[in-house]
Amino acid sequence: MEFYGSIHNHTDIGSNQRLRDSTNTIESLCWYAAEDLKHNFVAITDHESISQSINAQKIEKKIREKYPDFKVIRGNEIYLCRDDLNKDTYQRGIDDFPHFILLAKDAEGHKQLRELSTRAWVKNSFSTGKMLRVPTFYSDLKEIIGKNPGHVIFSTACLGSALAKKALIFSQTQNKDIYAQMKQWIAIISNICGKENFFLEVQPSFNKEQIAVNRVYKMLAEEVNFPVVISLDAHYLKKEDAPIHEAFLNAQEGEREVKSFYASTYMMSREEIHEYMDESIGADTVSEWMNNTKLIYDMCEDYDLTRPLHIPYLPLTIDKITDTDFEEFAGKIKELSYFYHSPHQPDRDMAAALVKKIQSNREEFDNERCFAEMDKNLEAIRVSSEKQNTQWSAYLLNMRDYIRVIWEKGNSLVGCSRGSGGGFLLLYMLDIIQVNPLREKAPLRYWRFLHSERASVLD
């Protein structure tokens, strides 16, 4: 059985941002590749979107519990355009937006993908009619990847790519100048990423244009000595899902031609790939091209995109108390000692703020019921902060400052509370909300806002 993984696939969240495109969920795509098709890896390459990168990492971790060697490679399908393309220079009917595949080999490579995507959306974007265009320029690749190559893999993508369009012209005309332009383009683009990081991409299909491109690439690969890989360009999961995918595409702004272009853009087995390609290319060549995907698998490292949650802490107000002030309540509020002696400044500041609050309103706060509820709140903050490697005290004291500034400026409306926060006594004591949950007739549960057994990011 050949080594195989598809380097070019789409998901519903990532590829449907500007135009309907895919019905794959990332969970179904990855699990189907690993468990049903026994692929060795799968790559996520949405249309100018890397929004699924963290989800891909999480899903890969779950799949590896059962299939330890399976990889989910994170990439992007960009629109690689001429450098001076913008709203003013765009020529309808002449200019297009050629597809191109980028795959991150490591954390540095993903950083480069993020930089390129940011430029495409923020710096380079413009609209043509109702469509927002998000091009990446050749100069962007040279500046971001060319100056530090070896971290991103390039692949030529589908029939919508610049090289495939030239290959179609050559297949029809046998024009030697077109063939020379193709070789020149490959030399230029592979020089940016490094020769070992460039791949010619073909796809299984009975489409005459795709077969023609596959044959040209076979001839081209033998001459320029670059490996060919087979991708699936999966827009839906299974062959029988084609009618659903067609209906999904046609549900947006009129009819779209989908049957021929998308006929084989689904996740398929090795056997199906052979069924589509053996007659036109040859079984041995198909096997070789599938096995070439191991080159990409081996180059793509394991890397972690997650980072510890960091909460900046720039307090406007810092309360001060003495050891005597602390000792008055240390025996009554058991969690207070941890915060008062904490190595983290926000914890110490919150302990001081709470003691000052009790001293300023003893009638409301200096009682056993309040102390017991404070203990529950403080324990939830302590344990959740430890689990998430952050200081929720900083978040709460920041929020206290924000609310105070809004009240003082008087040009915005602050509600008395919202959602689960109404049950967390410390929010009231820090003047973030104006509802004392201990006074309410209906029970308000602190754990709806934060609970030590359910460590989650606060809103």
Side-chain angles (χ1 to χ4, degrees), residues 312-334:
Y313 181 54
L314 299 171
L316 296 177
T317 306
I318 299 180
D319 295 296
K320 299 292 184 181
I321 61 172
T322 65
D323 289 343
T324 301
D325 294 326
F326 161 71
E327 289 167 1
E328 179 183 1
F329 301 101
K332 302 175 182 178
I333 310 167
K334 63 180 181 179

Short mmCIF file of all heavy atoms in Angstrom, two decimals, residues 312-334:
data_model
loop_
_atom_site.label_atom_id
_atom_site.label_comp_id
_atom_site.label_asym_id
_atom_site.label_seq_id
_atom_site.Cartn_x
_atom_site.Cartn_y
_atom_site.Cartn_z
N PRO A 312 -2.18 41.34 30.37
CA PRO A 312 -1.43 42.54 30.75
C PRO A 312 -2.04 43.16 32.01
O PRO A 312 -3.25 43.13 32.20
CB PRO A 312 -1.58 43.47 29.55
CG PRO A 312 -1.98 42.59 28.42
CD PRO A 312 -2.77 41.47 29.03
N TYR A 313 -1.20 43.72 32.86
CA TYR A 313 -1.70 44.31 34.10
C TYR A 313 -1.09 45.69 34.28
O TYR A 313 0.09 45.84 34.60
CB TYR A 313 -1.33 43.40 35.28
CG TYR A 313 -1.83 43.90 36.63
CD1 TYR A 313 -3.18 44.21 36.82
CD2 TYR A 313 -0.97 44.06 37.70
CE1 TYR A 313 -3.64 44.67 38.04
CE2 TYR A 313 -1.42 44.50 38.94
CZ TYR A 313 -2.76 44.81 39.10
OH TYR A 313 -3.20 45.27 40.31
N LEU A 314 -1.91 46.71 34.04
CA LEU A 314 -1.49 48.10 34.18
C LEU A 314 -2.53 48.82 35.03
O LEU A 314 -3.36 49.58 34.53
CB LEU A 314 -1.35 48.76 32.81
CG LEU A 314 -0.32 48.14 31.87
CD1 LEU A 314 -0.45 48.75 30.48
CD2 LEU A 314 1.09 48.36 32.41
N PRO A 315 -2.52 48.58 36.33
CA PRO A 315 -3.60 49.10 37.19
C PRO A 315 -3.59 50.62 37.33
O PRO A 315 -2.53 51.25 37.41
CB PRO A 315 -3.31 48.43 38.54
CG PRO A 315 -1.83 48.19 38.52
CD PRO A 315 -1.49 47.86 37.09
N LEU A 316 -4.79 51.20 37.34
CA LEU A 316 -4.92 52.62 37.62
C LEU A 316 -5.01 52.87 39.12
O LEU A 316 -4.64 53.93 39.61
CB LEU A 316 -6.20 53.17 36.95
CG LEU A 316 -6.23 53.14 35.42
CD1 LEU A 316 -7.58 53.65 34.93
CD2 LEU A 316 -5.10 53.98 34.85
N THR A 317 -5.50 51.86 39.84
CA THR A 317 -5.70 52.00 41.28
C THR A 317 -5.06 50.83 42.00
O THR A 317 -5.29 49.67 41.64
CB THR A 317 -7.20 52.03 41.62
OG1 THR A 317 -7.84 53.06 40.86
CG2 THR A 317 -7.41 52.28 43.11
N ILE A 318 -4.26 51.12 43.00
CA ILE A 318 -3.66 50.06 43.83
C ILE A 318 -3.97 50.39 45.29
O ILE A 318 -3.57 51.43 45.82
CB ILE A 318 -2.14 49.96 43.62
CG1 ILE A 318 -1.81 49.60 42.17
CG2 ILE A 318 -1.55 48.92 44.56
CD1 ILE A 318 -0.34 49.48 41.88
N ASP A 319 -4.69 49.48 45.93
CA ASP A 319 -5.00 49.67 47.35
C ASP A 319 -3.85 49.17 48.22
O ASP A 319 -3.16 48.20 47.87
CB ASP A 319 -6.27 48.89 47.70
CG ASP A 319 -7.49 49.44 46.99
OD1 ASP A 319 -7.85 50.60 47.26
OD2 ASP A 319 -8.07 48.71 46.15
N LYS A 320 -3.64 49.83 49.34
CA LYS A 320 -2.57 49.46 50.26
C LYS A 320 -3.16 49.09 51.61
O LYS A 320 -4.04 49.78 52.13
CB LYS A 320 -1.58 50.62 50.44
CG LYS A 320 -0.88 51.06 49.16
CD LYS A 320 0.07 49.98 48.64
CE LYS A 320 0.84 50.46 47.42
NZ LYS A 320 1.76 49.41 46.90
N ILE A 321 -2.68 47.99 52.17
CA ILE A 321 -3.08 47.59 53.53
C ILE A 321 -1.84 47.19 54.30
O ILE A 321 -0.79 46.89 53.72
CB ILE A 321 -4.10 46.42 53.51
CG1 ILE A 321 -3.49 45.19 52.85
CG2 ILE A 321 -5.38 46.84 52.81
CD1 ILE A 321 -4.36 43.94 52.96
N THR A 322 -1.97 47.16 55.61
CA THR A 322 -0.87 46.74 56.47
C THR A 322 -1.03 45.26 56.84
O THR A 322 -2.09 44.66 56.61
CB THR A 322 -0.83 47.57 57.74
OG1 THR A 322 -2.02 47.30 58.50
CG2 THR A 322 -0.78 49.07 57.42
N ASP A 323 0.01 44.70 57.42
CA ASP A 323 -0.08 43.32 57.90
C ASP A 323 -1.17 43.18 58.95
O ASP A 323 -1.85 42.15 59.03
CB ASP A 323 1.26 42.86 58.48
CG ASP A 323 2.32 42.66 57.40
OD1 ASP A 323 1.95 42.55 56.23
OD2 ASP A 323 3.52 42.59 57.75
N THR A 324 -1.35 44.24 59.73
CA THR A 324 -2.41 44.22 60.76
C THR A 324 -3.78 44.13 60.11
O THR A 324 -4.67 43.38 60.58
CB THR A 324 -2.32 45.48 61.64
OG1 THR A 324 -1.03 45.54 62.25
CG2 THR A 324 -3.39 45.45 62.72
N ASP A 325 -3.97 44.89 59.02
CA ASP A 325 -5.23 44.82 58.28
C ASP A 325 -5.48 43.40 57.78
O ASP A 325 -6.59 42.86 57.89
CB ASP A 325 -5.21 45.78 57.10
CG ASP A 325 -5.16 47.23 57.53
OD1 ASP A 325 -5.75 47.56 58.58
OD2 ASP A 325 -4.53 48.04 56.81
N PHE A 326 -4.45 42.80 57.21
CA PHE A 326 -4.58 41.44 56.68
C PHE A 326 -4.89 40.45 57.78
O PHE A 326 -5.79 39.60 57.64
CB PHE A 326 -3.28 41.05 55.96
CG PHE A 326 -3.10 39.58 55.79
CD1 PHE A 326 -3.89 38.84 54.90
CD2 PHE A 326 -2.15 38.89 56.55
CE1 PHE A 326 -3.73 37.47 54.77
CE2 PHE A 326 -1.99 37.52 56.41
CZ PHE A 326 -2.78 36.81 55.52
N GLU A 327 -4.19 40.53 58.89
CA GLU A 327 -4.35 39.56 59.97
C GLU A 327 -5.75 39.60 60.58
O GLU A 327 -6.24 38.61 61.11
CB GLU A 327 -3.30 39.81 61.05
CG GLU A 327 -1.89 39.41 60.58
CD GLU A 327 -0.80 39.93 61.50
OE1 GLU A 327 -1.16 40.57 62.52
OE2 GLU A 327 0.39 39.72 61.18
N GLU A 328 -6.42 40.74 60.46
CA GLU A 328 -7.77 40.84 61.00
C GLU A 328 -8.72 39.85 60.30
O GLU A 328 -9.64 39.31 60.93
CB GLU A 328 -8.31 42.26 60.82
CG GLU A 328 -9.73 42.43 61.35
CD GLU A 328 -10.29 43.82 61.11
OE1 GLU A 328 -9.57 44.67 60.52
OE2 GLU A 328 -11.45 44.05 61.49
N PHE A 329 -8.45 39.57 59.02
CA PHE A 329 -9.36 38.71 58.25
C PHE A 329 -8.74 37.39 57.82
O PHE A 329 -9.42 36.55 57.25
CB PHE A 329 -9.86 39.47 57.01
CG PHE A 329 -10.57 40.74 57.33
CD1 PHE A 329 -9.93 41.97 57.22
CD2 PHE A 329 -11.88 40.73 57.80
CE1 PHE A 329 -10.58 43.15 57.54
CE2 PHE A 329 -12.55 41.90 58.11
CZ PHE A 329 -11.89 43.12 57.98
N ALA A 330 -7.44 37.22 58.08
CA ALA A 330 -6.75 36.01 57.62
C ALA A 330 -7.39 34.74 58.18
O ALA A 330 -7.50 33.73 57.48
CB ALA A 330 -5.28 36.08 58.01
N GLY A 331 -7.82 34.76 59.42
CA GLY A 331 -8.43 33.58 60.01
C GLY A 331 -9.87 33.36 59.60
O GLY A 331 -10.40 32.26 59.74
N LYS A 332 -10.49 34.41 59.08
CA LYS A 332 -11.90 34.33 58.69
C LYS A 332 -12.07 33.93 57.23
O LYS A 332 -13.08 33.33 56.85
CB LYS A 332 -12.58 35.67 58.94
CG LYS A 332 -12.50 36.15 60.38
CD LYS A 332 -13.08 37.54 60.53
CE LYS A 332 -12.96 38.04 61.96
NZ LYS A 332 -13.49 39.42 62.10
N ILE A 333 -11.10 34.29 56.40
CA ILE A 333 -11.15 33.98 54.96
C ILE A 333 -9.89 33.18 54.64
O ILE A 333 -8.82 33.73 54.45
CB ILE A 333 -11.20 35.28 54.11
CG1 ILE A 333 -12.29 36.22 54.61
CG2 ILE A 333 -11.39 34.94 52.63
CD1 ILE A 333 -12.21 37.63 54.04
N LYS A 334 -10.01 31.87 54.62
CA LYS A 334 -8.83 31.00 54.54
C LYS A 334 -8.02 31.20 53.26
O LYS A 334 -6.80 31.05 53.27
CB LYS A 334 -9.23 29.54 54.70
CG LYS A 334 -10.14 29.00 53.61
CD LYS A 334 -10.47 27.54 53.85
CE LYS A 334 -11.38 26.99 52.74
NZ LYS A 334 -11.70 25.55 52.95
#
